[in-house]
Amino acid sequence: MQGIENAKVDMYEYLPVPFGLVRYGVAPDHPEVKNCQDKFTEIATSPNFNFIGNVEIGRDVPLKSFTNHYDAILFAYGASKDRKLGIPGEDQLDGIYSARNFVGWYNGLPEFSKLAPQLDVSDTAVIIGQGNVALDVARILLQGVDALRTTDMTDQALAVLSKSRVKRVRVVGRRGPMQVSFTIKEVRELMKLPAVAFHPVDATLIPPDVSSLPRTAKRLMKLLMEGSRGELAQAKKSWALDFLLSPVQFHSSNGTGPPQLGSIEFANMRLVGDDAFDPAAKVERGPDRHSIPTSLAFRSVGYQSEALLGMSELGISFDTKRGIIVNDYYGRLSTQVGDENAAQPIPGMYCAGWVKRGPTGVIANTMEDSFATAEAIIGDWNNKAPFLGGGNGWESIRNEGLIRSKRTVSWQDWLRIDAAEKARGQPFGKEREKFTDTGDMLRTLD
């Protein structure tokens, strides 16, 4: 809106509430990360901005209909699915959860309000994957529940966590310490948890001359070598980073009743190449196997975007392998045509965030990426590049009755939901108590 005079922006959201990953993906004990909501709220107060919540594009309104009412369409809907391991037992046994679903559950995402994770079945939890989300899950499992009571974590999640039996968390990855994708901040927070100790890392996996490493890698290796403040012998809880293990199969326990996870079988991996400490080093599977007994596991191996209904009708190409909309890396949509797969731009179509470049990075990376797409739109407009037909946007969509039998939510409606959540949380000293059901959100507007 700042780069193009008199530009108007309509933002359509699947849920009745805004903020997406900030509201439902950021850990409750990281309130400072959610400060970007203040900037978003400032933008939303502009008379040139419309928030239209509770609308599923492609189902509640045909995607194609937008092309007749807008100059440009920007896709920024993130990654709604998580990647699976694709190994035996993954979908058959109780006690195996997606880290994405678990994070959504404790953050109040309506889609996962009925998850009911069984945290009382095992004193050991295994998290497969070594990214920041995996460490978020580990921290929530290990942190004392009293430290979370004043956050915006749902009461439902607090009740389940208060009954958790988990005393040890093992965060397992298929490569080594030099190839991990988590950040220093996440590890440091785990190291500082009171009454929680860290199992030492195998020293042979750490480069012998840490001082010669680049700054970020050097800081991370030193942190792993120093470990936690607490001693294992005195600590009530502990956690470990297990490297060079790749899951092969989930095995059932031999008990009666529903099939329950009993152990996880891993293949021992080995780093290959001239430099095993190269951050880009590859691994190969060895002949040995390793088993970890547990009745509780979390899969945290990445997210994945999906194509929206109606995209193919508009000639939009979606790369299912990478989980992104095909684009020129600046955010301009392009379609693959012809035998040589020559990319052809689609006028007036853009993308940003995870659906543009894949589910990597933190919120700051996504914001920078979005700024780059905005610059591409501004440049194209100023250079008089082809766009869509234009129109009156939401005003025309609403007046023509294109939204199919559904209550839409405006920004003013969201402010009422926001006030209701804050009022619900006030008696408990919380910033808010989120609604975990879209019906309850909408009933506050009646």
Side-chain angles (χ1 to χ4, degrees):
M1 292 189 292
Q2 294 176 340
I4 300 176
E5 188 176 2
N6 297 321
K8 293 185 177 181
V9 175
D10 296 339
M11 187 177 83
Y12 292 84
E13 164 61 45
Y14 171 69
L15 290 166
V17 295
F19 304 133
L21 189 65
V22 178
R23 177 178 167 100
Y24 291 120
V26 174
D29 57 343
H30 284 176
E32 73 285 352
V33 179
K34 302 185 182 187
N35 290 338
C36 57
Q37 291 180 164
D38 297 336
K39 182 61 178 177
F40 299 159
T41 299
E42 178 186 332
I43 295 169
T45 60
S46 167
N48 288 337
F49 176 87
N50 283 312
F51 171 77
I52 306 103
N54 200 37
V55 176
E56 185 176 3
I57 304 299
R59 298 191 184 277
D60 296 330
V61 57
L63 178 57
K64 187 177 181 179
S65 65
F66 285 89
T67 61
N68 299 322
H69 299 290
Y70 289 94
D71 293 297
I73 299 173
L74 168 66
F75 298 97
Y77 57 87
S80 60
K81 302 295 180 183
D82 70 304
R83 295 184 183 276
K84 288 195 170 187
L85 296 166
I87 61 175
E90 184 174 14
D91 297 322
Q92 292 77 40
L93 302 178
D94 289 344
I96 304 169
Y97 303 95
S98 153
R100 175 186 176 274
N101 297 6
F102 183 68
V103 170
W105 168 76
Y106 66 62
N107 274 320
L109 184 59
E111 181 182 357
F112 304 119
S113 62
K114 307 298 184 185
L115 185 67
Q118 300 173 320
L119 305 185
D120 57 352
V121 296
S122 177
D123 61 2
T124 299
V126 175
I127 304 171
I128 300 171
Q130 292 184 331
N132 280 344
V133 174
L135 296 198
D136 273 347
V137 172
R139 191 179 67 257
I140 293 298
L141 290 173
L142 292 168
Q143 193 167 7
V145 71
D146 287 340
L148 298 168
R149 292 193 186 281
T150 56
T151 71
D152 64 357
M153 178 178 283
T154 66
D155 276 350
Q156 177 189 38
L158 290 170
V160 173
L161 285 167
S162 68
K163 299 176 183 177
S164 171
R165 287 181 49 216
V166 175
K167 302 297 181 185
R168 183 180 182 186
V169 175
R170 303 180 67 165
V171 185
V172 184
R174 61 194 300 270
R175 298 196 293 171
M178 284 294 293
Q179 293 84 36
V180 296
S181 55
F182 54 67
T183 57
I184 294 171
K185 177 179 180 292
E186 301 295 332
V187 180
R188 184 180 292 116
E189 287 186 335
L190 273 165
M191 294 294 190
K192 291 182 177 179
L193 286 180
V196 178
F198 177 65
H199 294 262
V201 172
D202 182 351
T204 63
L205 299 177
I206 304 291
D209 185 11
V210 171
S211 62
S212 65
L213 295 174
R215 182 173 181 270
T216 300
K218 177 168 61 178
R219 291 173 61 205
L220 180 57
M221 292 305 106
K222 285 185 175 180
L223 185 60
L224 294 181
M225 289 190 298
E226 290 170 2
S228 59
R229 296 175 179 175
E231 297 291 335
L232 280 170
Q234 286 80 37
K236 296 180 180 179
K237 299 179 181 180
S238 66
W239 71 287
L241 288 167
D242 294 316
F243 299 105
L244 299 176
L245 293 174
S246 180
V248 174
Q249 183 172 351
F250 292 104
H251 291 282
S252 173
S253 64
N254 294 323
T256 59
Q260 177 73 39
L261 175 66
S263 65
I264 309 173
E265 180 183 350
F266 293 89
N268 288 87
M269 308 298 286
R270 53 194 176 207
L271 292 158
V272 296
D274 297 331
D275 183 5
F277 302 121
D278 182 346
K282 305 295 184 183
V283 291
E284 64 180 12
R285 181 174 294 186
D288 297 332
R289 295 290 185 268
H290 180 78
S291 181
I292 298 179
T294 185
S295 298
L296 180 63
F298 297 87
R299 175 185 65 241
S300 184
V301 291
Y303 293 178
Q304 188 168 15
S305 300
E306 291 187 313
L308 295 181
L309 190 66
M311 277 187 166
S312 58
E313 186 180 1
L314 296 178
I316 298 172
S317 298
F318 193 88
D319 186 334
T320 54
K321 183 176 181 180
R322 297 176 61 197
I324 63 169
I325 300 173
V326 176
N327 67 91
D328 67 353
Y329 302 103
Y330 296 98
R332 300 179 183 90
L333 266 59
S334 56
T335 184
Q336 302 291 330
V337 297
D339 294 337
E340 297 181 359
N341 286 335
Q344 299 293 322
I346 304 177
M349 300 277 193
Y350 300 86
C351 60
W354 284 3
V355 78
K356 169 186 173 183
R357 58 184 173 82
T360 59
V362 295
I363 288 177
N365 303 120
T366 303
M367 291 179 69
E368 291 173 7
D369 172 83
S370 299
F371 295 153
T373 297
E375 289 298 325
I377 296 173
I378 294 168
D380 289 348
W381 185 263
N382 291 337
N383 291 328
K384 302 188 183 305
F387 275 78
L388 299 173
N392 294 321
W394 167 235
E395 181 180 345
S396 296
I397 296 286
R398 178 183 55 198
N399 291 341
E400 293 181 18
L402 294 174
I403 303 292
R404 297 169 181 165
S405 304
K406 201 166 188 181
R407 166 85 182 253
T408 59
V409 176
S410 68
W411 189 258
Q412 290 303 314
D413 290 335
W414 150 244
L415 294 179
R416 292 169 62 189
I417 296 172
D418 180 43
E421 289 187 339
K422 288 178 177 177
R424 280 159 48 93
Q426 189 173 12
F428 308 101
K430 302 173 66 173
E431 178 194 354
R432 70 177 65 243
E433 179 60 35
K434 294 176 185 173
F435 292 110
T436 60
D437 181 84
T438 56
D440 290 339
M441 294 177 189
L442 297 176
R443 277 187 282 275
T444 65
L445 307 178
D446 293 338

